[in-house]
Amino acid sequence: MLKTADQIPVTQTAVIKEIIDSPLKINLMELGFLPGKEITLKFSAPMGGPMAFKLDETILALRKNEASLIEVQLL
Amino acid sequence: MISITKTPKIAIIGNPNVGKSTIFNQLTGLNQKIGNYPGVTVDKKVGTMSYQGSTYEIIDLPGTYSLYPNSEDEVIAHRVLNQLSETEKPEYVLMVINSSQLSRGLFLATQLIDLGLNLAIVLNMADLATKRNISIRTFEIFKALGVPILSTDARGEKGLDQIRELIHTRNFSKKGSFLAIEEVVPITLLEEVKRKFNMSNNYQAYQMLRFGRIDKVIAQADRDWIKSKLEEINFDLAAAQLEETKIRYRKITKIVDLAVVKESQPKNEKSGLDGIFLHPVLGYVIFAAILLIMFQAIFAWASVPMDLIDGFFAELSGKVSDLLPSGPISSLISEGIIPGIGGVVIFIPQIAMLFGFLAILEDTGYMSRVVFLMDRWMRPFGLHGKSVVPLVSGVACAIPGVMAARNIGNWKEKIITIMVTPLMSCSARLPVYVILIGLVVPNKTIAFVNLQALTLLGLYFLGIIGVLGTAFLLKNILKTTEKSFLMVELPSYRSPRWWDVILTMYNKSRTFVMEAGKVILAISVILWVLALYGPPSRMDEIRTAGEQKLALATSPEMEDQIHAETSSLLLENSFIGIMGRGIEPVIRPLGYDWKIGIALIASFAAREVFVSTIATIYSIGGDPEDDLTIRQKLDQQIRPDGEKVYNTATAFSLMIFYAFAMQCMSTLAVVYRETKGWKWPLIQTVYMTALAYLSALLVYQILS
């Protein structure tokens, strides 16, 4: 089932399907959020705060808004 | 010996958090210069490296993920690398890549190759990659890119020597191109740009198309030309950029697949420290505890050198005025210039220590965690997670706070942060608060709470309310098309590199003294002139009368008393005194008389000047630093109608005024420096003064 990255439960891993068109698309892609990559939600700040994803060997924090631009498939 | 050959310039570039600045610091040591790039707030860091008798100029470029114009940092990288200004043109580029983040690093590296630069790559943090069971076949990367690659650990001396050797042997190479940009941009357009700007490289022409609209260094006519060219063929740059990114990453992935060998992926990785530091409850408790320790340390440690500096400059003033024949020159030096310089230097301990702590938090990787934890709570007020650092610094001193705001990429969030940081209750407000609270709040304890402490706490909260309210207001006023976003890496925890911490402390203090010092000194001298000079006949009269009285004095105590009274009279009749009387009708509704008016004007330089000025006005002899004598004296001041001058209403009105008013020329000077103009510091001063005036008016009218 296709979801966006802000819906990934904590500790779950998903594979990126597509980055939704927006002015931030390029920023996400240059950080390495690319179709085919696996991301794991490691931490989530309380009350809808930022989310920390593991991508390759690094942990990257995004706001919910930015995460919702990443279409993923849960593994 | 004068060398005939030009010093070679080497630019260091890389993603954020790859140890780029460490390499720069280690190579150049104290031979660094921090300057400005025209039109932006990014610091220009240039240093010299000496190695085996040769000298090299090293330029530290801001950390960036790509050469796309997302922020000022990237515009700078573009400007330097595209050699739009010949003087900054680096001959060689050293690209630093974090070994565990190869693809992200190669993304930028291949862009540099496409620009036709003379490049070498340093694969840094090889040790960290080994720890993660990653090994890199550098030969595969070399085969694919054709530029020299050095795999090392720049934290060790051996790694640094390898880098020095690489620079010394000029082991850089220029490779044609990695990606054919003609695939995404029409070649006819590229050819036209190349002809127009006299360029030889297609990728450079493409960069010109994208940056030309943004970078204000490029002439307006050229920018218009670029715009019209793009419109002519209806070319979608954003789409081209996305396409370029996709192709580039596709090619990089192939290289990385060949080059990176992951031996046994450690399953079930522990979240380690982040499980505690990012905990939804514990995380905030730890953050609060770290802040508490930090401020405790700053207040405890900074006060010692600050007192020494204070004493030193006071003594120096005294010595100079004794040595020089008395007259305007002696007075200018001993009462204008020396205290002016002292007023700049006095901030150094706090600035250095705050930046020391911030550098440690940054270097260990904790700061990004703070951004992560706080972003949610800052956003409703138009602030960013990164605004936490300036605001927190503001509790000690607004100056380093405003300086720290430059890390915020979004223009609107940066301006809001700079505008509200001086509203935090800084340490210079403390002397004013302490005297006034002592005067009108009883030192009583009700239900374990000391009333004086409670009042002080209330004033700090008032500052925070001022910050949030103002930020919220600005959020709804300022307009920007820039989208706010948070994309921040949470780097692995590391122990701080002390040398870097010390260099940061040194550089930040130096920047403050050099840049803000000029403005502060100028204002000090103006205030000195206003306080010393008045209508000559009136001033002479007071002096003569004073001397006559002095001749009749019978004891040293009496002499002191006469001296104090004479200086008080002189101040009253000086230009500042006249101004104080002039503003009396305006400040009367706040419960202030003209004497307080003088103190308000004089303390525009710095809030704590309020205390020394009222000490002079009320001719308090002896040690004006002694709170008790000042307090007693203030308590005795009676208005013509028999009411105390410093009654509860006036004292609270004053406290509120100082809580909100700008009253700090150093902050003003730093805001000028950080915003590159007088617009924002002026708006800020007017706003804060108005806020202070209206709040004080309200408080006085309610309490009296």
Side-chain angles (χ1 to χ4, degrees):
Chain A
M1 190 183 62
L2 229 49
K3 286 187 168 191
T4 48
D6 57 317
Q7 294 163 314
I8 302 175
V10 179
T11 70
Q12 289 270 324
T13 302
V15 60
I16 300 176
K17 287 290 160 196
E18 182 62 85
I19 310 290
I20 296 167
D21 270 329
S22 92
L24 294 178
K25 182 171 182 174
I26 194 82
N27 301 56
L28 286 167
M29 287 177 68
E30 72 176 45
L31 274 176
F33 288 100
L34 297 162
K37 289 267 188 184
E38 280 182 17
I39 53 172
T40 309
L41 180 63
K42 303 286 282 184
F43 302 97
S44 195
M47 304 285 289
M51 314 172 85
F53 294 98
K54 186 167 182 284
L55 168 73
D56 289 335
E57 293 306 314
T58 44
I59 297 182
L60 291 160
L62 304 178
R63 283 184 187 154
K64 260 187 139 54
N65 261 340
E66 283 102 68
S68 71
L69 298 173
I70 305 172
E71 272 188 350
V72 295
Q73 176 110 52
L74 281 181
L75 288 182
Chain B
M1 200 178 76
I2 300 157
S3 75
I4 299 155
T5 48
K6 214 168 121 262
T7 317
K9 286 196 177 81
I10 294 113
I12 304 183
I13 191 168
N15 298 158
N17 298 313
V18 294
K20 190 173 60 69
S21 293
T22 305
I23 294 180
F24 175 73
N25 283 340
Q26 299 283 359
L27 292 181
T28 59
L30 283 170
N31 302 317
Q32 294 184 12
K33 264 207 322 252
I34 299 193
N36 288 310
Y37 291 107
V40 291
T41 53
V42 181
D43 272 331
K44 177 183 178 181
K45 289 170 82 182
V46 181
T48 49
M49 176 189 107
S50 303
Y51 186 70
Q52 301 196 348
S54 305
T55 315
Y56 300 89
E57 188 177 315
I58 316 274
I59 305 163
D60 188 20
L61 290 174
T64 171
Y65 289 111
S66 72
L67 289 179
Y68 301 141
N70 291 325
S71 70
E72 284 191 334
D73 285 357
E74 283 150 33
V75 172
I76 285 306
H78 148 79
R79 209 188 277 173
V80 173
L81 296 176
N82 279 322
Q83 305 146 18
L84 291 174
S85 132
E86 278 299 313
T87 49
E88 278 161 18
K89 171 181 170 175
E91 280 93 347
Y92 306 102
V93 178
L94 189 70
M95 166 83 202
V96 185
I97 294 179
N98 178 343
S99 299
S100 344
Q101 299 161 24
L102 196 57
S103 37
R104 207 174 297 149
L106 287 178
F107 188 80
L108 179 59
T110 55
Q111 284 190 321
L112 300 177
I113 290 174
D114 286 342
L115 272 181
L117 297 168
N118 243 328
L119 192 72
I121 293 175
V122 171
L123 279 181
N124 197 16
M125 302 179 172
D127 55 327
L128 221 66
T130 316
K131 218 187 268 173
R132 287 178 170 153
N133 291 328
I134 299 168
S135 66
I136 298 171
R137 297 193 196 120
T138 43
F139 185 67
E140 290 293 339
I141 305 174
F142 174 73
K143 259 197 338 205
L145 301 184
V147 294
I149 296 170
L150 172 66
S151 178
T152 185
D153 174 24
R155 293 186 125 199
E157 202 41 49
K158 186 172 151 264
L160 278 165
D161 267 339
Q162 288 174 319
I163 294 171
R164 284 189 195 105
E165 193 61 34
L166 181 149
I167 292 173
H168 187 62
T169 53
R170 319 269 166 98
N171 193 6
F172 296 87
S173 109
K174 203 185 276 191
K175 177 90 189 323
S177 74
F178 177 76
L179 179 146
I181 197 66
E182 308 86 87
E183 284 179 32
V184 292
V185 186
I187 185 74
T188 47
L189 182 57
L190 293 174
E191 291 295 345
E192 262 187 285
V193 175
K194 284 200 296 194
R195 261 201 309 280
K196 167 97 179 162
F197 295 101
N198 200 14
M199 292 168 170
S200 55
N201 178 299
N202 280 346
Y203 197 71
Q204 207 181 354
Y206 166 64
Q207 290 267 320
M208 192 68 189
L209 280 173
R210 286 184 319 158
F211 284 89
R213 298 168 308 162
I214 302 159
D215 195 345
K216 296 193 174 66
V217 165
I218 297 164
Q220 186 61 48
D222 290 341
R223 280 195 269 164
D224 289 343
W225 183 86
I226 291 168
K227 218 172 141 222
S228 72
K229 279 292 155 199
L230 288 170
E231 278 162 8
E232 213 170 87
I233 56 163
N234 212 355
F235 185 68
D236 187 351
L237 268 178
Q241 198 170 309
L242 277 175
E243 194 54 34
E244 182 210 334
T245 308
K246 276 186 203 157
I247 300 173
R248 197 175 291 281
Y249 255 122
R250 206 176 298 142
K251 295 184 80 169
I252 289 170
T253 308
K254 274 185 203 147
I255 304 172
V256 172
D257 284 347
L258 282 172
V260 174
V261 187
K262 279 190 194 182
E263 291 135 13
S264 73
Q265 177 81 9
K267 281 274 167 206
N268 251 342
E269 263 182 288
K270 271 191 287 176
S271 357
L273 286 173
D274 272 334
I276 307 163
F277 285 138
L278 296 184
H279 189 274
V281 180
L282 213 51
Y284 292 96
V285 175
I286 292 172
F287 178 45
I290 289 175
L291 288 186
L292 203 67
I293 294 168
M294 202 168 109
F295 285 119
Q296 199 78 44
I298 290 172
F299 284 124
W301 296 338
S303 67
V304 179
M306 283 172 85
D307 287 346
L308 283 177
I309 292 168
D310 206 23
F312 171 77
F313 280 96
E315 203 166 308
L316 190 66
S317 280
K319 285 258 168 63
V320 169
S321 78
D322 287 348
L323 272 173
L324 293 174
S326 65
I329 302 272
S330 153
S331 169
L332 171 66
I333 294 172
S334 66
E335 284 162 42
I337 293 174
I338 294 178
I341 295 171
V344 178
V345 176
I346 192 92
F347 285 108
I348 291 177
Q350 276 193 347
I351 292 174
M353 285 179 69
L354 253 170
F355 273 111
F357 278 113
L358 294 182
I360 292 170
L361 294 184
E362 184 84 56
D363 219 28
T364 48
Y366 182 69
M367 205 57 105
S368 329
R369 272 74 182 181
V370 173
V371 173
F372 179 82
L373 284 175
M374 293 306 292
D375 185 66
R376 166 70 185 85
W377 312 106
M378 293 283 119
R379 274 172 60 203
F381 303 99
L383 297 164
H384 192 271
K386 289 180 183 168
S387 306
V388 173
V389 180
L391 292 181
V392 159
S393 314
V395 178
C397 180
I399 298 159
V402 170
M403 286 162 84
R406 64 171 47 178
N407 290 334
I408 304 166
N410 182 282
W411 171 82
K412 181 174 169 179
E413 287 164 341
K414 179 157 73 188
I415 288 291
I416 295 179
T417 308
I418 290 177
M419 292 293 275
V420 300
T421 298
L423 285 165
M424 292 297 277
S425 266
C426 69
S427 60
R429 286 174 172 94
L430 215 51
V432 181
Y433 289 166
V434 167
I435 286 210
L436 294 170
I437 289 176
L439 209 57
V440 294
V441 180
N443 190 6
K444 264 198 279 186
T445 304
I446 295 175
F448 301 108
V449 184
N450 180 293
L451 286 183
Q452 292 190 337
L454 191 68
T455 311
L456 191 61
L457 191 70
L459 286 165
Y460 274 90
F461 270 106
L462 196 67
I464 295 172
I465 292 168
V467 164
L468 297 181
T470 307
F472 190 74
L473 190 73
L474 284 169
K475 177 191 167 188
N476 291 303
I477 293 174
L478 294 179
K479 293 275 167 279
T480 177
T481 49
E482 231 182 318
K483 221 170 137 47
S484 165
F485 64 89
L486 176 119
M487 291 183 193
V488 63
E489 191 191 331
L490 306 183
S492 322
Y493 289 102
R494 292 178 301 193
S495 62
R497 292 152 292 189
W498 299 106
W499 177 237
D500 281 11
V501 172
I502 289 164
L503 272 179
T504 306
M505 293 168 77
Y506 169 75
N507 281 330
K508 292 286 180 184
S509 311
R510 209 176 65 152
T511 308
F512 166 72
V513 172
M514 296 310 200
E515 307 256 343
K518 289 176 245 166
V519 179
I520 298 168
L521 195 60
I523 301 180
S524 303
V525 171
I526 292 170
L527 283 173
W528 165 82
V529 169
L530 293 178
L532 187 73
Y533 291 94
S537 57
R538 184 86 190 94
M539 299 296 270
D540 286 344
E541 224 172 89
I542 296 164
R543 282 199 193 95
T544 326
E547 274 157 30
Q548 280 166 358
K549 272 193 215 163
L550 212 53
L552 298 172
T554 47
S555 67
E557 286 81 28
M558 246 179 105
E559 278 180 25
D560 281 349
Q561 186 58 31
I562 293 164
H563 271 303
E565 273 165 15
T566 310
S567 7
S568 163
L569 273 174
L570 284 172
L571 185 59
E572 278 175 29
N573 289 283
S574 68
F575 289 118
I576 239 179
I578 294 167
M579 286 162 81
R581 284 179 201 271
I583 62 165
E584 198 179 12
V586 184
I587 56 174
R588 191 177 288 285
L590 311 186
Y592 312 155
D593 60 9
W594 61 271
K595 291 187 176 182
I596 299 179
I598 295 175
L600 287 186
I601 295 173
S603 68
F604 181 74
R607 296 175 179 91
E608 64 271 25
V609 172
F610 174 81
V611 179
S612 58
T613 310
I614 51 173
T616 314
I617 296 172
Y618 296 119
S619 53
I620 298 158
D623 183 9
E625 296 279 307
D626 188 349
D627 292 351
L628 202 64
T629 42
I630 293 183
R631 210 177 282 165
Q632 281 166 348
K633 199 84 182 183
L634 295 188
D635 209 27
Q636 291 160 9
Q637 300 301 315
I638 305 289
R639 283 184 206 173
D641 61 3
E643 170 85 24
K644 276 185 184 174
V645 172
Y646 290 92
N647 56 18
T648 309
T650 298
F652 270 96
S653 161
L654 262 177
M655 282 189 260
I656 304 297
F657 186 86
Y658 275 93
F660 290 144
M662 172 58 111
Q663 301 295 94
C664 178
M665 57 184 175
S666 311
T667 306
L668 199 66
V670 167
V671 173
Y672 164 73
R673 184 195 182 250
E674 294 296 317
T675 59
K676 304 276 169 186
W678 283 109
K679 181 185 169 190
W680 292 107
L682 286 178
I683 292 175
Q684 189 171 36
T685 310
V686 170
Y687 167 77
M688 287 176 73
T689 311
L691 179 68
Y693 184 87
L694 294 175
S695 315
L697 179 70
L698 191 71
V699 167
Y700 184 76
Q701 296 303 332
I702 290 170
L703 290 180
S704 68

